[in-house]
Amino acid sequence: MEWSILQQYGPLLLSGFATTILCWALGTIFSMILGLLIALVQRYAPRPVGWVIQAYIEIIRGTPFLVQLFVLYYGGPLIGLRLDALPAGLLGLTIYGSPYFAEIFRSAFNAVPLGQIEAARAIGMSEPSIIRRILLPLGLVSALPALVNFSIILTKETVILSIITVPELTYQTQRMSTETFRYIEANLALALFFWALVETISRVGRRLEKRVTRHLTERT
Amino acid sequence: MPGASSVEIRKVNKHHGQFHALKDVDLDILPGKVTCLIGPSGSGKSTLLRCINFLDEYESGEIRIDGQLIGYESPGGRKMPARKLREMRRSIGMVFQQFNLWPHMTALGNVAEGLMRVRGLPKAEAERRAKNALEKVGLADKMANHPSRLSGGQQQRVAIARALAMEPRLMLFDEPTSALDPELVGEVLNVMKTLATEGMTMIVVTHEMGFAAHVADQVAFMEQGELVSVDVPDKILHQPKDPRIKAFLRTYHERNSF
Ligand SMILES: Nc1ncnc2c1ncn2[C@@H]1O[C@H](COP(=O)(O)OP(=O)(O)OP(=O)(O)O)[C@@H](O)[C@H]1O
Ligand SMILES: [Mg+2]
């Protein structure tokens, strides 16, 4: 193995890693927000709207991200949606992740005891207040482990952005391997970077979980 | 208590899906009086109670609080706007079997929440009133605790304080002591007794026959969605005429004797 090659390509890999983190972070945030909105609309909207949303969820979950991204990036211009690689990648991640997040939020909201919501209704609280003060705080807490878990899964989906030429880490390591034929070093570096990212996310997630549940668990 | 509410219930019907849960129920509750609802499990007591603040939506008949119809704009008419319903609910307190405190808020937070979000009071004023309400139920020293750090009896008293802080004119209790360990029942019943002597209008679904006998002004017996009989406690609990009430009390006594 030739580790000096990593020194040479270090800056390139680092910039790729930065792009990966950026794509992951923004993609996660956007798809989480979209998923949250979907879950809220599903909860409160009339039936037909719910069916439309359910269809969206099924379609997105039923197709590979790779295909979605192709359609968006290469098919988009046909309907006038011309995006650069990075924005297209972010939009793709947002769409791809949203139904999973929506399902996480939906089941978390369903897990909030109805009685606690009725208690709020009984004192005359409005539905927006109930959402903000009761449903969201309790729902988010119970959703947290699943949210962290799916955002970890999303780190790996960012890899696919390389096929539409987003200069993220995979893209750069591929470039390094084709230029130098150092496949092993390149892929080891790739694995190491991802491991560091995933490990960080799960650590932060565990701490967060501990923090937000500290008042909710019965001391026995 | 000045401004205690009256409740008139007329020919109220309610289905849960196919199930006819309330059948032409009639009941009158005078201001400042305590009414206990008793009856076997599944007889519709909770459903009736929940129709009074329209958490359960009755389909026909009328429920009037101080003469004002709840839930509908007119008998058999359109649903009342959500805003109007919320306004009516502000003066109806409700206490649940499972307490239903909000676990992410302290005792003080639970009580202050409605004052801030519903009454629109500034935080300081809301907390001052919340403290008073908690003092009233004997929990001033526990106000910083989250529900997970309170006993069942304490949680239920916080729930009562949460309702009282809104200054209701009517209080609904759905088996407030049924989820409690026996030794914690007394502290909750005592708070309720005090409330009764202060002249609050109260409707209490309960299996505590002692409370019904000593505190209630009237006892209503329900079975299979019907309000079978309503009378002073003594008439229902000690000299029942209806065989259904007799049968109910017999099983009650059998269960509680040893
Ligand atoms: N949301 C619901 N959906 C379907 N059926 C319901 C619902 N709520 C109540 N019921 C049914 O309606 C009937 C009356 O229920 P309700 O809770 O009013 O009885 P209850 O007198 O309060 O009984 P308990 O003493 O067990 O609390 C029961 O047979 C119950 O199964
Ligand atoms: Mg009940």
Side-chain angles (χ1 to χ4, degrees):
Chain A
M1 286 201 223
E2 187 69 69
W3 291 111
S4 61
I5 209 86
L6 284 179
Q7 228 167 356
Q8 187 192 332
Y9 277 87
L12 190 72
L13 295 186
L14 277 177
S15 93
F17 190 44
T19 307
T20 291
I21 290 174
L22 179 82
C23 290
W24 168 76
L26 291 180
T28 301
I29 290 168
F30 293 158
S31 54
M32 211 182 273
I33 291 170
L34 183 57
L36 179 61
L37 291 176
I38 289 172
L40 284 174
V41 171
Q42 244 184 340
R43 193 179 168 91
Y44 292 97
R47 278 270 178 81
V49 178
W51 292 332
V52 172
I53 288 176
Q54 200 57 41
Y56 168 85
I57 290 178
E58 300 301 333
I59 290 168
I60 303 297
R61 285 205 304 186
T63 50
F65 182 40
L66 184 75
V67 174
Q68 293 167 17
L69 207 57
F70 258 90
V71 169
L72 181 69
Y73 191 61
Y74 298 108
L78 299 177
I79 56 160
L81 185 69
R82 216 170 294 276
L83 290 172
D84 286 341
L86 186 65
L90 288 177
L91 182 60
L93 273 176
T94 304
I95 292 171
Y96 170 75
S98 61
Y100 297 94
F101 280 123
E103 289 290 293
I104 291 170
F105 285 122
R106 187 180 62 86
S107 72
F109 290 156
N110 287 341
V112 175
L114 182 60
Q116 288 167 21
I117 291 166
E118 288 184 330
R121 290 198 182 122
I123 58 168
M125 261 169 96
S126 64
E127 288 304 312
S129 292
I130 293 173
I131 292 172
R132 214 156 36 85
R133 301 289 302 172
I134 317 285
L135 192 71
L136 279 182
L138 290 172
L140 286 175
V141 166
S142 71
L144 191 59
L147 294 177
V148 171
N149 188 48
F150 189 69
S151 54
I152 286 174
I153 291 174
L154 274 185
T155 59
K156 287 147 200 168
E157 300 292 352
T158 61
V159 167
I160 294 174
L161 300 186
S162 62
I163 63 147
I164 61 164
T165 73
V166 175
E168 46 72 75
L169 187 61
T170 330
Y171 184 85
Q172 304 294 28
T173 47
Q174 271 165 0
R175 191 170 139 196
M176 173 179 153
S177 1
T178 44
E179 282 172 14
T180 64
F181 304 105
R182 298 286 177 194
Y183 298 104
I184 294 177
E185 288 86 345
N187 282 295
L188 266 175
L190 181 68
L192 221 62
F193 275 121
F194 267 94
W195 174 79
L197 178 59
V198 167
E199 189 59 25
T200 308
I201 298 168
S202 71
R203 268 169 200 250
V204 170
R206 271 200 298 272
R207 282 183 99 153
L208 210 58
E209 205 180 314
K210 224 177 181 167
R211 210 185 132 76
V212 295
T213 55
R214 102 204 102 135
H215 294 305
L216 303 183
T217 41
E218 212 105 6
R219 189 178 283 166
T220 45
Chain B
M1 182 170 287
S5 288
S6 65
V7 183
E8 294 161 68
I9 300 169
R10 288 281 171 279
K11 283 200 159 304
V12 161
N13 283 277
K14 161 79 188 165
H15 288 77
H16 289 299
Q18 294 288 308
F19 186 80
H20 201 169
L22 295 178
K23 302 171 184 163
D24 281 338
V25 172
D26 282 299
L27 183 62
D28 276 293
I29 288 143
L30 294 174
K33 299 293 180 189
V34 177
T35 302
C36 282
L37 281 179
I38 64 169
S41 181
S43 57
K45 307 179 298 291
S46 297
T47 305
L48 180 60
L49 197 74
R50 291 162 55 86
C51 280
I52 294 172
N53 65 358
F54 214 61
L55 275 184
D56 273 355
E57 304 182 356
Y58 59 98
E59 295 126 14
S60 67
E62 300 173 25
I63 297 181
R64 294 181 180 277
I65 321 283
D66 293 326
Q68 197 188 354
L69 190 69
I70 190 160
Y72 298 97
E73 297 211 303
S74 61
R78 272 185 309 172
K79 286 250 186 74
M80 148 184 278
R83 229 190 119 71
K84 192 93 181 294
L85 180 60
R86 290 204 302 272
E87 216 158 90
M88 288 190 76
R89 280 176 175 165
R90 271 163 58 160
S91 51
I92 308 172
M94 187 167 208
V95 174
F96 302 83
Q97 182 175 350
Q98 299 300 336
F99 327 136
N100 292 336
L101 292 180
W102 302 307
H104 56 307
M105 300 179 194
T106 62
L108 190 74
N110 267 276
V111 182
E113 185 66 15
L115 293 170
M116 290 190 286
R117 310 289 150 191
V118 180
R119 299 279 295 269
L121 296 178
K123 190 163 188 242
E125 176 62 13
E127 291 191 339
R128 196 186 61 78
R129 293 194 192 189
K131 248 178 248 175
N132 285 343
L134 283 170
E135 247 158 50
K136 198 169 154 112
V137 298
L139 286 174
D141 55 329
K142 300 284 184 195
M143 64 187 185
N145 288 36
H146 280 76
S148 59
R149 304 288 187 272
L150 294 170
S151 73
Q154 290 168 341
Q155 287 186 59
Q156 193 60 298
R157 286 187 284 152
V158 172
I160 294 173
R162 174 172 69 179
L164 289 180
M166 300 295 289
E167 298 174 338
R169 296 194 299 270
L170 165 66
M171 284 287 288
L172 310 174
F173 293 86
D174 193 355
E175 300 197 35
T177 58
S178 296
L180 298 177
D181 291 338
E183 74 271 21
L184 302 178
V185 168
E187 61 189 69
V188 172
L189 290 183
N190 283 336
V191 169
M192 292 170 63
K193 277 178 201 158
T194 310
L195 207 53
T197 38
E198 287 172 2
M200 175 70 79
T201 308
M202 295 164 61
I203 306 176
V204 186
V205 175
T206 188
H207 293 294
E208 292 290 332
M209 296 306 160
F211 182 84
H214 296 118
V215 183
D217 297 289
Q218 60 177 1
V219 175
F221 177 81
M222 293 188 71
E223 192 179 77
Q224 295 188 6
E226 285 177 52
L227 202 137
V228 174
S229 181
V230 51
D231 211 329
V232 292
D234 198 46
K235 280 277 193 297
I236 300 280
L237 300 174
H238 297 125
Q239 313 156 39
K241 290 203 195 69
D242 196 290
R244 290 172 286 184
I245 306 180
K246 282 184 188 164
F248 172 74
L249 291 174
R250 204 176 311 122
T251 47
Y252 175 81
H253 286 305
E254 275 162 18
R255 204 178 327 129
N256 287 282
S257 60
F258 50 86

